[in-house]
Amino acid sequence: MEQVGLAATADVTLWSLFMEAGFVVKLVMLGLIAASVWTWAIVVDKTLKFGKARRQLDAFEQVFWSGQSLEELYRTLSDRATSGMGAIFVSAMREWKKSFERGARSPIGLQMRIDRAMDVTLSREAEALEARLGSLATIGSAGPFVGLFGTVVGIMTSFQAIAGSKSTNLAVVAPGIAEALLATAIGLLAAIPAVIAYNKFSADAGKLTARMEGFADEFSAILSRQIDEKLQPRQAAQ
Amino acid sequence: MKTSLITSAVLHALVLTWALVSLGSPEDFEVSSLESMPVDIVPIDEFTQIQQGDKQAPKAEKSSPVPTKKPTEVADAQNIGDNDVDLKTLPKPEAKPIEKESTGAIKAEEKPVPTPEPVEEDAPEVTEEKPASEPATEVASLPEPKEEVKPDPKPEEQPAEEQPAENPEAEALPDRIPTPVMKPKVEQQAQTAKTPDRKNEENKKEKKKSSTAKESDFNADEVAALLNKQDSSGGGAKRAKDPTAFGGKKTTVGNTLSQSEMDALRGQIQNNWSIIPGMADASEVRIRVTMQLDRDGNLVGSPEVEATGGSEAARRALASGASRAIRKSVPFKGLPAEKYDSWSEVVVNFDPSSMLF
């Protein structure tokens, strides 16, 4: 009787496979589909953001090395929200300005404060770049295991059903296993892009951070020279 | 982030829909249908124990062939048929009797064709005798009988030629041809023939000359006389009287002893078997006797007694008792003679425990 029922529903479309799966397997599959959606959302988001960040860096570097006055540049940039190198530049200039307005005594202390301010901004910018890459890593590593869990549970239940049907006919055995394997398939489907995207984006974030660090060091050197030049006459005057 | 999430969700929805539509149900594998092979267990008795009968006849308890027509002539015949001699071949209905008649008619008509033969035979004689003094008279004498014969119907002409061919030889060479079958045929033909004696005498003279000249000449009638006229496909000489019933072409061996016949045989032995009651282990011994019998139920050689189970002493005692009992009960009675094939060598099993009181 049961065998007849199984044979009658022997159509193995994806939808019927999903609908015939047990509760746990369904939950696993839905979770994995959600993870896949999230992965691709991050991929799209990061692709856009990284492209934008790269363009901003290029544009800023062009403006910065164009020989424009730093004061003028600071005035144009401080008015609007900036990111990347612009933010680092603005934070350093803000610290510089504050220190000079109050009449800084020690050039070493000023240098340290400017560096500290730039480091904080740099780490904030790097963090923004690397945000959500962690979830990609998690999906990439845990996805196959979650899918495997769904498969094991599905095969277990299907074997129990086969034991109940008292038949080892392939038509009885096959649909249950096919439906269980669907969970692993979805797990891999979510995990593979996640792993690839994580590797690509973490490398890209590393490159951008390194570029910003380079700029910060360079700007720090420039400011240090400026400090020396500005404080020397003052000390000489005293 | 919100836009990218929506983008991703839409992307997934599209991919899943596409997957549901296009991946769908994979095509079933083409599996050539294997027919299951039914296995029947057929008892071989059906083929080994066929009784002679007729294939077209309805089924009856006892199968029997088509009844024969002739009265019984041959005693102790084994094979059923209408033949005069008991042959093992199966009787066959005479094939195409009309053709036989036609061949007979043709024979009578064809015979005149060889009539030129005597002319040819005579011709060399004439040529041989040409140097002789009187060729004209001899040549003239030959056509004379021919003219006399010609008005006669053709079949009559044939014996006239055959007779002289045989008669002179019977006279000239009486010892050479033992042809008892042929003689009545010749007489019949001789009766029908109305040939003048004078012509015979003339022919005799001539044929004597020719026979002496050609002694080794081939004579078809001699061969015909020597041929076996018995119809090989006539079947046996045993007559069947029962109405036709379903059965095989031939009786094939078959015929095992029935259980009651076997019991009767065993009983004869047991009656002469005195078993000492209370023998230890006697009930565990099994005796198996193999003996050869002739048609009268007498032993051929000595019976082979095989005892198994129980103690050595009990085995020996029972085995010797069994062979004594067999020797005492010979000759066995009540064994069906027609089943001799099945009891010419017979195996009898005994369970002494059933004979102990």
Side-chain angles (χ1 to χ4, degrees):
Chain A
M1 191 64 206
E2 185 148 353
Q3 195 181 334
V4 170
L6 278 170
T9 58
D11 93 284
V12 281
T13 55
L14 285 182
W15 183 248
S16 70
L17 282 182
F18 174 76
M19 288 313 286
E20 272 177 34
F23 172 71
V24 179
V25 182
K26 258 185 206 166
L27 213 69
V28 165
M29 284 197 240
L30 286 175
L32 285 169
I33 287 169
S36 180
V37 170
W38 184 237
T39 304
W40 282 98
I42 290 167
V43 167
V44 171
D45 183 54
K46 286 292 162 193
T47 313
L48 294 175
K49 273 198 176 150
F50 278 25
K52 195 177 159 194
R54 207 171 290 121
R55 259 178 280 119
Q56 276 181 346
L57 288 191
D58 290 344
F60 180 81
E61 272 183 336
Q62 209 170 2
V63 171
F64 185 78
W65 298 109
S66 66
Q68 198 180 0
S69 142
L70 292 181
E71 294 283 340
E72 211 173 307
L73 188 63
Y74 173 68
R75 242 177 278 132
T76 53
L77 286 177
S78 59
D79 293 343
R80 58 185 182 200
T82 51
S83 63
M85 281 185 196
I88 292 166
F89 171 76
V90 167
S91 68
M93 284 302 283
R94 193 177 292 129
E95 188 54 45
W96 166 272
K97 289 242 171 198
K98 275 178 192 166
S99 300
F100 266 90
E101 277 166 8
R102 287 172 194 168
R105 298 277 183 282
S106 161
I108 298 153
L110 179 63
Q111 182 72 47
M112 272 178 67
R113 277 198 298 283
I114 287 168
D115 282 354
R116 205 53 62 73
M118 279 203 296
D119 276 351
V120 168
T121 318
L122 184 68
S123 67
R124 199 184 297 132
E125 288 300 314
E127 200 185 317
L129 283 177
E130 284 173 5
R132 301 205 181 91
L133 284 185
S135 56
L136 277 188
T138 310
I139 290 167
S141 58
F145 291 116
V146 176
L148 196 62
F149 168 70
T151 296
V152 168
V153 171
I155 285 179
M156 248 167 63
T157 45
S158 81
F159 270 129
Q160 282 165 352
I162 289 160
S165 76
K166 290 187 179 62
S167 164
T168 52
N169 190 350
L170 202 60
V172 178
V173 178
I177 290 170
E179 144 212 316
L181 287 173
L182 186 62
T184 305
I186 295 171
L188 291 173
L189 207 69
I192 291 167
V195 170
I196 292 168
Y198 173 75
N199 286 336
K200 188 192 180 327
F201 289 132
S202 60
D204 281 0
K207 260 187 239 164
L208 289 173
T209 311
R211 223 169 130 182
M212 285 191 286
E213 269 173 4
F215 168 76
D217 285 347
E218 225 164 351
F219 190 51
S220 165
I222 289 165
L223 284 180
S224 153
R225 207 184 313 125
Q226 289 284 321
I227 288 162
D228 280 355
E229 280 172 12
K230 294 221 169 163
L231 288 182
Q232 218 75 39
R234 205 181 282 182
Q235 277 172 353
Q238 283 170 0
Chain B
M1 193 65 209
K2 206 176 179 180
T3 49
S4 50
L5 194 64
I6 291 161
T7 316
S8 167
V10 169
L11 215 88
H12 274 80
L14 285 174
V15 168
L16 280 177
T17 331
W18 171 80
L20 284 177
V21 171
S22 73
L23 291 184
S25 172
E27 274 184 35
D28 293 344
F29 293 121
E30 294 258 337
V31 182
S32 55
S33 60
L34 290 170
E35 272 187 44
S36 57
M37 200 181 283
V39 176
D40 286 338
I41 294 167
V42 182
I44 199 166
D45 293 15
E46 206 178 308
F47 303 102
T48 55
Q49 303 195 3
I50 295 170
Q51 297 296 308
Q52 191 173 14
D54 191 69
K55 277 188 176 175
Q56 267 91 48
K59 273 194 177 183
E61 217 163 283
K62 194 189 170 197
S63 54
S64 64
V66 182
T68 51
K69 291 150 200 167
K70 288 184 184 174
T72 314
E73 281 172 2
V74 183
D76 295 334
Q78 297 287 319
N79 305 295
I80 289 168
D82 269 332
N83 212 347
D84 297 331
V85 182
D86 194 27
L87 295 175
K88 282 202 168 183
T89 51
L90 293 170
K92 283 178 194 166
E94 283 184 28
K96 301 168 191 171
I98 305 158
E99 220 173 279
K100 268 194 173 177
E101 285 173 14
S102 72
T103 49
I106 287 165
K107 265 183 190 172
E109 288 173 5
E110 274 179 351
K111 278 279 159 78
V113 178
T115 46
E117 270 186 81
V119 179
E120 283 176 5
E121 280 180 41
D122 291 343
E125 282 174 29
V126 171
T127 49
E128 281 170 21
E129 287 170 21
K130 265 185 180 176
S133 59
E134 299 171 355
T137 52
E138 283 216 12
V139 173
S141 67
L142 270 169
E144 269 178 20
K146 271 205 170 181
E147 281 174 356
E148 283 175 10
V149 171
K150 266 179 184 175
D152 286 347
K154 278 179 181 178
E156 281 182 9
E157 195 178 5
Q158 172 201 344
E161 284 159 8
E162 275 183 7
Q163 210 182 338
E166 282 156 7
N167 280 341
E169 271 168 18
E171 286 175 13
L173 312 159
D175 300 332
R176 273 181 66 189
I177 316 148
T179 53
V181 185
M182 189 189 74
K183 273 183 177 173
K185 197 184 171 186
V186 174
E187 282 168 11
Q188 281 176 350
Q189 286 171 341
Q191 283 171 0
T192 55
K194 292 174 183 176
T195 48
D197 291 344
R198 179 186 57 182
K199 188 194 159 191
N200 275 355
E201 285 173 6
E202 281 180 358
N203 279 334
K204 271 181 201 170
K205 286 173 188 173
E206 287 172 2
K207 288 288 168 179
K208 266 185 183 175
K209 285 178 189 173
S210 66
S211 65
T212 47
K214 306 168 185 178
E215 259 188 350
S216 62
D217 211 355
F218 172 78
N219 194 337
D221 293 321
E222 283 177 38
V223 179
L226 289 169
L227 281 177
N228 185 2
K229 297 272 170 61
Q230 193 67 51
D231 186 8
S232 64
S233 64
K238 191 184 181 184
R239 306 295 187 235
K241 287 155 198 165
D242 296 333
T244 318
F246 180 76
K249 276 186 175 176
K250 268 185 168 182
T251 302
T252 49
V253 198
N255 276 346
T256 51
L257 280 182
S258 71
Q259 202 59 45
S260 56
E261 286 159 352
M262 202 69 193
D263 281 340
L265 178 63
R266 194 181 288 123
Q268 286 179 48
I269 297 168
Q270 281 183 11
N271 286 339
N272 293 312
W273 193 342
S274 53
I275 289 178
I276 309 142
M279 193 196 289
D281 298 332
S283 60
E284 285 159 34
V285 180
R286 297 287 177 276
I287 305 284
R288 179 188 165 88
V289 179
T290 310
M291 50 190 177
Q292 271 102 34
L293 301 172
D294 65 6
R295 283 183 184 275
D296 300 325
N298 285 311
L299 276 174
V300 176
S302 56
E304 201 177 299
V305 182
E306 216 177 307
T308 51
S311 67
E312 176 71 38
R315 274 210 298 277
R316 207 180 299 143
L318 285 166
S320 61
S323 54
R324 266 200 306 279
I326 289 163
R327 289 213 174 78
K328 229 190 267 179
S329 46
V330 172
F332 295 108
K333 290 170 193 82
L335 290 167
E338 70 270 16
K339 291 185 183 178
Y340 174 67
D341 280 348
S342 58
W343 54 264
S344 62
E345 182 173 331
V346 68
V347 178
V348 192
N349 291 303
F350 292 101
D351 180 4
S353 67
S354 65
M355 291 183 271
L356 294 168
F357 311 113

